[in-house]
Amino acid sequence: MKACVLAIGDELISGFTVDTNSSWISNYLFNYGINISKQIVVGDDSREIIDELQRLVDDKFKLIFITGGLGPTHDDITKKTLSEFFKSDIVIDAEHSIQLKRKITKKGLNYNSLHKSQSYILKCSSKIENLSGTALGMHVDYLDSDIFVIPGVPKEMKNMMNSQIIKILLNKYNLHKNEFITIRTTGIYESKLYDLLKKMIDNHLDQFKVSFLPHYYGVDIRISSIKIKNTKLFNIFKDKVILKVEKYIYGFNSETMAEVLFKLLKRKKLTLSTAESCTGGLISKSITEFPGSSDVFLGGVVSYSNSFKEKILKVEKNNLNNYGAVSESVSKDMCANIKKMTNSDTSISITGISGPDGGTEDKPVGTVCITVNFKKKFKTKKFILYPERKIHRIVSSMTGMNMLRLLIIENLK
C-alpha cells in the first residue's frame, strides 16, 4: 500500500520550523505495516499544493496524509486549496461550532469569526474531531485514495492519529499491529553487532526484518515481523538476539540511558550525586527530567575552573598542578569529594576537553576522564571521544551514566 505525507507551511521550507510530523507519522504507521514511501514539504502556495496532490493521486498513492495550514490566519490556506482541488464547498459543522463557542466563552474570551473558521470542513469529507485543539481534521475518500487532512500542531496531529485515524485504517484495510522491538546497545560497533547476528538474521529473512540504527552513543537493533502474526515465534527470535548481544544492551524501545539509570537507582533505593566539568550539568539535567528524581538525586556541582574545583570540590592542588584538570587523578578527587559532601550511595564525575580549543598532543580535543562510584567501589576510565563539542558533551554524559549502571549491576550480583 503506497503511502505519503504532504507537509504544508512556509515555516517548514524556510527552515524556521523542523518538520517532525512526517517522521512521526512514518514511524507510527510502520508499526502497522504501512511504509511511507514519500515525504513532501511545500509552502503555503495553492498551486504547489494542488500540483503535488495531483501527482500523488495520479501515482496511485493509497494513503495521503496532509498536515498543516488548518489554522485561522490568512496564510492557513489548506482548506480553501483543497476545496478547489476536490471541487467541493466548505461547510460549517454545527455541532463542533456550538462546542467550540462554549469552550471559548467559558475561558472569558469573545467568540469571533477566526474561531468559527475552525469548524468549517469540506462538504465531501468526514470530520475528524480535534480533542486537543480547535481545528477539525478531515477524511476524504477520493478515487483510489484515502486522504487525511490534519493540523500541523504535533500534539493535535498525534491525538487524531491515535484516537481516530488508526481506527479507520484498521477497519478498512484489516491491518494489524506488527510485532516489533528496539534493542538499545552501546560499547560495540555496528559491524561487530552484525557479525554476531548475521547467521541468525540470514536464517529468518522471510520472517523478520532486522535493522541496525547507529547513533553517536550506540547502535539500536530494530526487529519487526514481516508476514507472520505469531507472537510466540517473534518472542523466540527476539530472545535469541538478546541473548547473543546481552552484555551490550542497556535498554529497549524508547528508553534512554538516563531513564534506565534512574529506574535502577530508584528500584535499588540508591542516591546519586554528580561533579561535572565539560558536560556542564547534562547528567544532572537528564536525571532530574523524571518525576520522583528527588528520591534519587541529592545534588551536583558544575566545576569548570581549576580554582572552583579546588575551593568547592576540594580537589588536591598538587593533582591539578601535576596532572592537569583533565586527568584521572582529578576525576577521582571530584568523584570522591562530591560523594563525601552529599553522603550519596553513588556518584559520577566527568572532566574533559570538548573543544574546539584546549587540546594538546598528550590530551587532544575529545579527551575525557570519568570516575564512577558505588558504595566503596570506584572505577576511573580515560577516553578519547568525538572531538566535536556538542556531541562530545552528550557522549561523555551517556558514557558516565553507563559506567555507573554497569558498576552497580556488577556489584549487586
Side-chain angles (χ1 to χ4, degrees), residues 133 223 234 318 345 389 395:
I223 306 172
F234 179 84
N318 286 339
D345 300 311
R389 187 174 184 81
V395 175

Side-chain angles (χ1 to χ4, degrees), residues 105-116:
T105 53
K106 191 175 181 181
K107 292 180 179 179
L109 302 173
N110 291 322
Y111 181 73
N112 56 39
S113 60
L114 292 180
H115 296 130
K116 189 176 181 180

Side-chain angles (χ1 to χ4, degrees), residues 61-191:
F61 273 85
K62 195 70 175 172
L63 300 177
I64 301 171
F65 299 88
I66 301 174
T67 70
L70 295 179
T73 58
H74 71 281
D75 58 346
D76 291 308
I77 63 170
T78 298
K79 265 184 284 197
K80 185 178 178 181
T81 302
L82 294 179
S83 171
E84 180 183 343
F85 180 85
F86 293 117
K87 296 178 174 55
S88 172
D89 291 337
I90 299 175
V91 296
I92 193 166
D93 184 86
E95 182 183 12
H96 181 265
S97 181
I98 292 168
Q99 291 174 349
L100 183 58
K101 185 176 182 179
R102 189 181 297 129
K103 186 189 297 185
I104 296 297
T105 53
K106 191 175 181 181
K107 292 180 179 179
L109 302 173
N110 291 322
Y111 181 73
N112 56 39
S113 60
L114 292 180
H115 296 130
K116 189 176 181 180
S117 70
Q118 302 293 270
S119 298
Y120 282 96
I121 60 173
L122 297 175
K123 189 175 182 179
C124 66
S125 72
S126 302
K127 70 176 177 180
I128 301 175
E129 296 286 358
N130 190 337
L131 304 179
S132 54
T134 56
L136 286 171
M138 297 175 282
H139 172 211
V140 181
D141 191 341
Y142 181 73
L143 300 178
D144 292 324
S145 302
D146 275 299
I147 301 171
F148 296 92
V149 187
I150 44 187
V153 180
K155 182 180 179 182
E156 297 176 26
M157 175 275 294
K158 292 175 184 178
N159 191 297
M160 286 186 183
M161 291 293 294
N162 278 311
S163 65
Q164 297 162 83
I165 294 175
I166 195 61
K167 291 178 182 177
I168 296 171
L169 297 176
L170 289 174
N171 290 334
K172 187 167 184 177
Y173 295 104
N174 193 29
L175 301 174
H176 69 281
K177 193 167 185 178
N178 285 345
E179 297 282 0
F180 73 93
I181 189 171
T182 301
I183 302 169
R184 315 209 71 181
T185 73
T186 190
I188 183 171
Y189 291 111
E190 179 185 4
S191 56

Side-chain angles (χ1 to χ4, degrees), residues 175-213:
L175 301 174
H176 69 281
K177 193 167 185 178
N178 285 345
E179 297 282 0
F180 73 93
I181 189 171
T182 301
I183 302 169
R184 315 209 71 181
T185 73
T186 190
I188 183 171
Y189 291 111
E190 179 185 4
S191 56
K192 179 63 174 175
L193 274 176
Y194 179 68
D195 286 342
L196 290 173
L197 299 173
K198 184 179 184 305
K199 186 175 180 180
M200 201 181 303
I201 294 170
D202 290 345
N203 289 338
H204 296 84
L205 286 174
D206 60 333
Q207 294 177 309
F208 308 106
K209 181 177 180 180
V210 180
S211 304
F212 295 89
L213 311 171

Side-chain angles (χ1 to χ4, degrees), residues 183 197 200 221 223 237-245:
I183 302 169
L197 299 173
M200 201 181 303
I221 306 169
I223 306 172
F237 180 74
K238 172 201 71 177
D239 290 343
K240 285 181 179 178
V241 172
I242 290 173
L243 190 62
K244 194 74 173 177
V245 298

Side-chain angles (χ1 to χ4, degrees), residues 377-393:
K377 300 281 187 179
F378 285 85
K379 190 167 189 175
T380 302
K381 281 189 175 183
K382 180 179 177 180
F383 302 91
I384 298 179
L385 302 175
Y386 295 90
E388 195 280 316
R389 187 174 184 81
K390 184 177 180 180
I391 298 171
H392 181 265
R393 286 154 57 89

